[in-house]
Amino acid sequence: MSDQIYTRRRRLLGTTVAGISLMELGLSGLAQAQSNSTASGSSAASFENLRQIKAGTLDVGYAEAGPQNGPVVILLHGWPYDIYSFAEVTPLLAAAGYRVIVPYLRGYGSTRILSADTPRNGQQAVVAVDVINLMDALKIDKAIFGGFDWGARTVNIIAALWPQRCKAMVSVSGYLIGSQEANKAPLPPKAELSWWYMFYFATERGYAGYDANRHDFNKLIWRLASPKWNFDDATYERSAASFNNPDHVAIVIHNYRWRLGLVTGEAKYDELEKRLAKGPTISVPTITMEGDANGAPHPEPSTYAKKFTGKYAHRNISGGIGHNLPQEAPKAFADAVIDVARF
């Protein structure tokens, strides 16, 4: 990556590190969380305070709610989204007695890479290692995981490589573990078209374009990925603030270039990537989910069902639900987390 990666620094608003309870979080959207409705798209629920903790190579920003002694649920967002994808899921789970942790992934929000010398790496293994490091820092031995997009891939990886840390899992769009070798195979033209942004990011023009236009670029992705979700401007702006992270562009670009084999990852993760390239099965209890109006690239459930060798169920969520399923159908997602914990 170029030296530009290390010089693009923008200051964000500071976040409090004070201890927060469910009430202090100000999660006012509990009563408004809907199962399958996307009509309002409003920013009712909010995380008013965030915590920070040093974990591995990161200083991680995260929201927390629910009782400290409750079973832990860790919820992971994707690109181009952030922790607010779970703003309405979180109070539902907290009210059910779960301790809910919702971290910003590397390159988002208040999460920071601690050293200027650390590569701004977005390969799949490193994001999973980040989460394991966060669990260690928080002294969490085992958790239930839920995620979509990058977050779904990450929970898949944790369940496959560290099953002792994963009690159960909810994964939107199923099994998303990949490899550079598998990504060399061309797709049918229609499928290639849906990955247009990955090819754009492969160019220096795409790097510069995303850096200059990330706000409008990501809003376009939201609309394409969830064509029936009528989110309002306030909802988008709340999440768009997280894209001002000084490492956001570098990490996003590296992620998509790494997938195509155009850049290397860090050598210390090579062994993990070799294991992931074999497409390991997942034995922990799992519920996979898919919205009926997902406009983003995603596999058909029938193609990945056999990857889950433990107790398994798939749920199709109707009502015009797109790619950002936890935010568009928060009750359906929260119900899946509660149900999979009982498998």
Side-chain angles (χ1 to χ4, degrees):
M1 305 299 290
S2 70
D3 290 340
Q4 291 176 321
I5 295 172
Y6 304 105
T7 60
R8 292 168 179 162
R9 295 289 185 263
R10 294 181 173 88
R11 297 186 62 84
L12 296 176
L13 293 174
T15 55
T16 180
V17 295
I20 49 177
S21 66
L22 176 59
M23 293 301 293
E24 289 169 331
L25 273 170
L27 294 168
S28 59
L30 176 58
Q32 298 184 29
Q34 303 169 6
S35 61
N36 296 332
S37 174
T38 63
S40 65
S42 64
S43 51
S46 178
F47 298 113
E48 291 184 353
N49 299 301
L50 292 179
R51 293 179 174 182
Q52 295 288 141
I53 190 168
K54 290 182 172 58
T57 61
L58 302 180
D59 184 8
V60 180
Y62 68 100
E64 181 171 350
Q68 283 291 304
N69 61 350
V72 179
V73 175
I74 297 176
L75 303 175
L76 302 178
H77 67 84
W79 172 84
Y81 306 93
D82 76 337
I83 63 172
Y84 288 100
S85 290
F86 301 103
E88 292 177 312
V89 171
T90 297
L92 295 174
L93 294 175
Y98 292 93
R99 178 188 176 192
V100 186
I101 308 290
V102 192
Y104 282 112
L105 299 187
R106 57 169 51 208
Y108 294 81
S110 60
T111 292
R112 294 289 185 273
I113 296 178
L114 293 169
S115 172
D117 296 327
T118 300
R120 272 45 185 171
N121 181 359
Q123 71 183 103
Q124 61 179 355
V126 74
V127 184
V129 171
D130 289 344
V131 178
I132 294 296
N133 288 337
L134 175 62
M135 294 177 72
D136 290 344
L138 292 172
K139 296 180 170 51
I140 295 170
D141 179 61
K142 200 168 191 176
I144 302 159
F145 288 91
F148 74 105
D149 197 85
W150 288 23
R153 179 174 296 107
T154 303
V155 303
N156 290 172
I157 292 170
I158 292 170
L161 299 187
W162 297 280
Q164 73 277 13
R165 308 299 297 269
C166 181
K167 179 180 177 181
M169 176 181 68
V170 173
S171 177
V172 177
S173 297
Y175 187 93
L176 298 179
I177 297 172
S179 72
Q180 290 178 319
E181 186 63 31
N183 287 337
K184 290 179 181 179
L187 300 172
K190 185 177 180 180
E192 294 283 17
L193 177 63
S194 66
W195 286 108
W196 65 272
Y197 54 87
M198 183 161 65
F199 303 116
Y200 179 63
F201 289 163
T203 68
E204 288 308 301
R205 177 185 176 91
Y207 193 119
Y210 187 59
D211 192 19
N213 302 300
R214 72 187 83 173
H215 178 280
D216 291 347
F217 192 104
N218 289 343
K219 195 170 188 178
L220 173 63
I221 295 294
W222 276 38
R223 288 172 174 157
L224 294 175
S226 299
K228 296 185 179 181
W229 181 32
N230 298 316
F231 61 88
D232 59 21
D233 287 342
T235 297
Y236 178 72
E237 295 300 333
R238 182 182 59 180
S239 289
S242 73
F243 311 144
N244 292 326
N245 183 292
D247 297 315
H248 176 76
V249 174
I251 289 170
V252 169
I253 297 297
H254 185 270
N255 175 282
Y256 288 103
R257 290 183 178 182
W258 179 88
R259 294 192 204 186
L260 293 175
L262 301 176
V263 296
T264 59
E266 293 178 77
K268 62 183 177 180
Y269 302 116
D270 285 353
E271 185 57 37
L272 294 179
E273 293 295 354
K274 287 179 183 177
R275 293 171 63 187
L276 295 172
K278 296 177 181 179
T281 57
I282 292 172
S283 61
V284 305
T286 298
I287 292 176
T288 57
M289 307 182 75
E290 192 60 80
D292 64 341
N294 186 357
H298 61 278
E300 289 297 320
S302 60
T303 66
Y304 56 69
K306 291 183 180 179
K307 285 293 186 180
F308 301 99
T309 59
K311 190 168 183 181
Y312 171 70
H314 177 78
R315 296 179 179 180
N316 290 312
I317 310 301
S318 61
I321 304 305
H323 190 59
N324 186 5
L325 192 152
Q327 195 165 2
E328 298 176 60
K331 188 175 186 301
F333 190 88
D335 285 348
V337 172
I338 293 169
D339 291 345
V340 81
R342 298 169 177 162
F343 273 15

